[in-house]
Amino acid sequence: MGVERIERKFADLKAQGRAGLVTFTTAGDPTYDRSLRLLKGLPKAGADIIELGMPFSDPMADGPAIQAASLRALQAGMTVHKYLDMVRAFREGDQDTPLILMGYYNPIYVYGVNTFLKDALEAGVDGLIIVDLPPEEDAELAVPARKAGMGFIHLATPTTDAARLKKITAHGSGFLYYVSIAGITGTRTPDLASVKRALESFRGKTDLPLAVGFGIKTPAHAAAFAEFADAVVVGSAIVDLMAELVAGEENLANSEAEAKVLSFVKELATGVRRARQKA
């Protein structure tokens, strides 16, 4: 399906007159089986789009929470092949929810770009967010991805001006991910008014839906951004909660920990879905 599934989801959200909730979890955190159970529960909890992090040992955009999640997953034996197996297992029960890989280029380069795109599309991946490939490197992966039908989501930041935005959107597809803070994930709280002004300045310059992420941690916070963004991304807060439950779960059943994470996602989704009703 590829980028078509992402485009179809945003069309549905627009028809419903609401923003979407994008959740981030790390594949294989804390183990393959538990990560897969959580992944399968996210759509029912209210995730409209799923970002699944591909664990990487040398991240450049991930904050402490996601760095720790990547280490847990790698120590549990997560690999790119297992990642794709997880996506295949998810697709056995869900053909509707867009699933996007967020990670870094090195594992894909080693796998082989064309082979990876073929295998990822076959598994059920719909889009890629590859943090360390700026638009100047679009020929490496963004252009081949678009030719293959895979979405390729670029990042824009508070320092992105009109000229840079033109470069960023030239080969982007699916949506544009606005990084709401100048920094790594989950380390600062974004300023609502500044983000709103930035998104207003982007509209008219691109037809891509605009998603906001980095630093959004609570249901109320997600709801505030959902009043004007096309989608709200929550990652570190979900990963942090999973880490807390894993660390303190000596007497907590695995299923109970995952249920607590999914309950938090439901709260986020409720806030996002009601945001424009109150606006």
Side-chain angles (χ1 to χ4, degrees):
M1 181 75 75
V3 68
E4 183 182 341
R5 188 155 26 213
I6 303 172
E7 294 170 345
R8 189 174 66 189
K9 176 61 69 174
F10 274 105
D12 288 346
L13 292 169
K14 187 175 182 180
Q16 295 175 42
R18 69 173 179 88
L21 174 65
V22 184
T23 60
F24 174 95
T25 57
T26 300
D29 175 34
T31 66
Y32 179 96
D33 289 341
R34 296 186 64 181
S35 180
L36 178 58
R37 287 199 298 270
L38 181 62
L39 182 64
K40 288 181 175 179
L42 287 171
K44 189 175 180 181
D48 296 295
I49 298 171
I50 292 173
E51 276 183 32
L52 190 60
M54 188 165 63
F56 188 58
S57 59
D58 301 289
M60 58 184 286
D62 299 327
I66 296 176
Q67 289 180 29
S70 286
L71 288 177
R72 288 192 296 272
L74 291 170
Q75 288 167 355
M78 198 64 189
T79 65
V80 176
H81 290 281
K82 288 184 178 179
Y83 177 101
L84 296 180
D85 287 343
M86 182 176 290
V87 176
R88 290 187 190 94
F90 172 78
R91 282 283 173 240
E92 289 175 1
D94 190 312
Q95 293 293 320
D96 178 62
T97 308
L99 196 152
I100 295 165
L101 178 158
M102 186 169 186
Y104 296 85
Y105 183 48
N106 186 271
I108 297 173
Y109 175 79
V110 172
Y111 196 105
V113 167
N114 291 330
T115 304
F116 177 82
L117 288 171
K118 176 179 177 294
D119 290 353
L121 283 165
E122 178 275 328
V125 176
D126 301 308
L128 306 174
I129 302 174
I130 305 301
V131 178
D132 54 351
L133 279 182
E136 287 78 7
E137 306 296 334
D138 276 352
E140 288 283 333
L141 185 58
V143 172
R146 288 198 65 167
K147 287 180 179 176
M150 177 75 81
F152 197 91
I153 294 98
H154 275 306
L155 305 176
T157 72
T159 60
T160 299
D161 59 18
R164 184 68 178 168
L165 184 66
K166 189 175 181 179
K167 280 188 176 181
I168 289 172
T169 56
H171 299 109
S173 59
F175 61 91
L176 180 66
Y177 190 139
Y178 183 72
V179 176
S180 58
I181 59 172
I184 55 179
T185 58
T187 54
R188 294 174 54 197
T189 300
D191 179 73
L192 190 72
S194 298
V195 174
K196 187 175 183 180
R197 283 197 299 272
L199 265 58
E200 286 173 346
S201 74
F202 286 179
R203 295 200 190 278
K205 298 183 177 69
T206 176
D207 293 329
L208 292 171
L210 303 176
V212 176
F214 279 48
I216 299 173
K217 297 181 177 179
T218 68
H221 211 195
F225 286 96
E227 290 182 12
F228 57 86
D230 297 312
V232 178
V233 186
V234 181
S236 294
I238 296 172
V239 173
D240 262 339
L241 179 58
M242 190 67 184
E244 290 172 13
L245 293 168
V246 169
E249 70 174 1
E250 288 183 2
N251 297 312
L252 188 66
N254 290 347
S255 59
E256 189 175 348
E258 288 138 26
K260 287 180 181 292
V261 174
L262 293 175
S263 178
F264 176 62
V265 173
K266 285 181 182 178
E267 293 177 24
L268 292 167
T270 299
V272 167
R273 286 166 189 259
R274 291 177 179 172
R276 295 184 192 172
Q277 296 173 8
K278 296 187 296 182

